[in-house]
Amino acid sequence: MLESRFPVCLTLCLVRCAAGLSGQYPLVQNLTVTEGGTANLTCRVEYNDNTSLQWSNPAQQTLFFGDKKALRDNRIELVRATSSELTISISDVLLSDEGMYTCSLFTMPIRTAKAYLTVLGVPAQPEIDGLTKPALEGDQITLTCSSQGSKPAADLRWYRNEKEVKGAKVVKPMGKTYTVQSFLQLQVDRNDDGAVYTCRVDHVSLSHSPQQATEVLEVHYAPRVEINPLHSVPLEGQYLRLECVSKGNPSPDPVLWTKDGGELPDLDRMIVEGRDLTFTSLNKTDNGTYRCEASNHLGTSSAEYKLYVYDAPTSPPPPTTAPIHPSTPGSTAQLDSPVRKSSVTEQRDPNAVGQHGTDHALIGGVVAVVVFVTLCLIIVLGRYLARHKGTYLTNEAKGADDAPDADTAIINAEGNHAHAEEKKEYFI
């Protein structure tokens, strides 16, 4: 009876031991953490028979043996220690903590598993350099954006008014981290005045809160002037306002209004309000060339308007558009009055084009009919001449063969009338 039980017990023991040995392998996972964060290292074992577990750092220093702390580091704490798990935490992780950590299971032989701890270096707040305030139109400037301490190297992106523009990137290794710079070259013009340039840092450690720096570009430029009239056709007795639009930085205030190269002659009716020139009631003496001039420390610009005042008509005149010629700094632009003698005398009926088109069509039809009739007459006349072509003899000629004189020839011709058919010729 005892002998029959012994093989069964031995077989059961071997199965359990084999199962225990096959499951006694430590299981770990690699871990990535941001600098300054907390890393939890976990080691698990299945079917452990109370064998001790141990964590050691990349320098092979024991951190915990079971629930016993071996290294004096206040940042390292025990989280969980059982026969099947050993979990520890490292707070305020440093870049120097990166490396291969080992979990050991003290069986015979000792079995180990390795987990790599990756520490991400957080890039510093970016800074923008190279911006001169104010910049002058036409200047060539280079903006530089810099960020330090990233690991791996960060990516820097430039934006102009929220639209991405491309810069040149340079990466410099600084120990375990990287310093990244991006350069943006600009040819400054007046359109850049007030433009917002932003440098943004993209990094895996900043997935939820990207860092950026912003600068607003200020550009100084010489003024440009235009004159806009309120009415397209100046009429006598009418109110008129000429608006002087001057754009420059610094703002070219105030502007100077002149007439025909001199001062305004009638300040009671010609009122300057800010940049506008207002005529309270136009008359013929207001005819002339009016000039608006604006200037700042970078230059001077002007524009001209030729005013011609017309008599007030009994019916409204056709509207016209005044050409406006803006000028570049240092030059003069001319704005002609929209009503000139030539333009008035050359006014045409808007229906004139349609009338001319109808006349041309009628004349063309008549010419076509005349040509067709002429061709028909030529064809009919040609066929008639062709059918009646031949030789015809007079009475005198018919009797001239034997007659001594013309009278005798006529008498002979009458006598020979019966034989006339023999001398006729026909052409078919």
Side-chain angles (χ1 to χ4, degrees):
M1 189 72 173
L2 181 61
E3 292 178 357
S4 62
R5 290 182 177 179
F6 180 74
V8 175
C9 293
L10 180 61
T11 302
L12 182 60
C13 179
L14 291 175
V15 171
R16 290 182 176 178
C17 290
L21 291 175
S22 62
Q24 285 186 317
Y25 286 94
L27 302 176
V28 297
Q29 289 183 339
N30 295 332
L31 186 62
T32 299
V33 65
T34 302
E35 183 182 11
T38 299
N40 290 324
L41 300 173
T42 300
C43 180
R44 291 187 177 89
V45 179
E46 295 182 0
Y47 311 113
N48 191 8
D49 55 355
N50 294 326
T51 303
S52 297
L53 293 171
Q54 171 185 292
W55 271 113
S56 56
N57 62 15
Q60 296 303 315
Q61 296 174 321
T62 301
L63 302 179
F64 269 89
F65 184 82
D67 58 355
K68 308 296 183 183
K69 186 174 183 179
L71 185 65
R72 292 184 178 180
D73 190 335
N74 294 332
R75 299 180 303 120
I76 304 175
E77 298 291 340
L78 178 65
V79 177
R80 181 180 178 85
T82 65
S83 59
S84 60
E85 178 183 339
L86 178 59
T87 300
I88 64 174
S89 67
I90 305 175
S91 59
D92 296 330
V93 174
L94 306 175
L95 293 175
S96 58
D97 293 328
E98 182 174 273
M100 193 73 73
Y101 287 76
T102 305
C103 177
S104 302
L105 176 64
F106 283 88
T107 58
M108 292 300 293
I110 298 175
R111 296 174 180 178
T112 61
K114 296 183 181 296
Y116 195 87
L117 176 62
T118 302
V119 181
L120 302 177
V122 181
Q125 180 73 19
E127 296 180 356
I128 297 178
D129 298 320
L131 185 63
T132 56
K133 291 187 177 182
L136 300 181
E137 185 176 25
D139 284 353
Q140 182 86 22
I141 65 175
T142 300
L143 302 181
T144 303
C145 180
S146 303
S147 179
Q148 302 175 350
S150 59
K151 178 181 172 295
D155 190 20
L156 301 181
R157 298 179 182 273
W158 284 101
Y159 295 87
R160 182 187 186 275
N161 295 335
E162 299 301 325
K163 183 178 180 180
E164 185 170 1
V165 291
K166 189 171 182 60
K169 178 181 175 181
V170 176
V171 179
K172 299 178 181 179
M174 304 291 290
K176 292 186 176 183
T177 62
Y178 298 89
T179 296
V180 184
Q181 292 181 317
S182 183
F183 303 93
L184 183 63
Q185 291 188 344
L186 302 174
Q187 180 74 36
V188 179
D189 61 25
R190 62 185 59 212
N191 295 325
D192 288 317
D193 186 36
V196 179
Y197 284 87
T198 301
C199 176
R200 185 174 300 168
V201 181
D202 287 343
H203 194 260
V204 63
S205 65
L206 302 173
S207 57
H208 300 294
S209 57
Q211 296 181 356
Q212 64 184 33
T214 300
E215 291 287 349
V216 179
L217 188 59
E218 181 184 358
V219 181
H220 281 189
Y221 51 92
R224 290 180 182 174
V225 178
E226 295 179 359
I227 298 178
N228 296 328
L230 180 63
H231 298 288
S232 58
V233 181
L235 301 176
E236 189 172 13
Q238 191 181 54
Y239 166 89
L240 176 65
R241 186 179 70 193
L242 300 180
E243 181 184 10
C244 181
V245 180
S246 59
K247 298 180 180 179
N249 192 15
S251 180
D253 288 324
V255 298
L256 177 63
W257 281 97
T258 58
K259 178 187 177 184
D260 297 330
E263 296 182 355
L264 298 177
D266 190 350
L267 296 181
D268 292 333
R269 292 185 309 104
M270 303 177 183
I271 303 173
V272 177
E273 297 177 340
R275 299 180 180 181
D276 300 343
L277 174 61
T278 302
F279 297 82
T280 57
S281 180
L282 290 172
N283 59 45
K284 294 291 187 177
T285 62
D286 295 330
N287 293 341
T289 300
Y290 292 83
R291 181 175 183 177
C292 175
E293 182 178 291
S295 62
N296 59 19
H297 69 281
L298 296 176
T300 300
S301 178
S302 63
E304 292 183 349
Y305 178 82
K306 292 183 178 180
L307 176 61
Y308 187 88
V309 180
Y310 286 87
D311 296 331
T314 56
S315 60
T320 58
T321 302
I324 300 176
H325 311 282
S327 67
T328 57
S331 64
T332 300
Q334 293 186 354
L335 175 62
D336 292 343
S337 175
V339 283
R340 294 180 178 177
K341 292 183 179 180
S342 59
S343 61
V344 172
T345 57
E346 293 177 2
Q347 292 292 333
R348 295 183 177 181
D349 184 1
N351 298 320
V353 175
Q355 294 173 354
H356 291 170
T358 304
D359 295 341
H360 293 166
L362 180 60
I363 293 172
V366 172
V367 171
V369 171
V370 172
V371 172
F372 177 78
V373 172
T374 303
L375 291 176
C376 292
L377 291 176
I378 292 174
I379 293 173
V380 172
L381 182 62
R383 290 179 61 87
Y384 177 83
L385 293 177
R387 291 179 62 87
H388 294 79
K389 181 179 180 180
T391 302
Y392 297 87
L393 300 177
T394 64
N395 290 332
E396 181 180 358
K398 292 178 182 179
D401 293 338
D402 299 324
D405 53 25
D407 294 333
T408 304
I410 294 173
I411 295 172
N412 292 339
E414 294 176 353
N416 295 330
H417 181 71
H419 303 284
E421 294 296 329
E422 298 176 358
K423 295 185 179 182
K424 287 184 179 180
E425 294 182 7
Y426 296 93
F427 179 82
I428 298 176

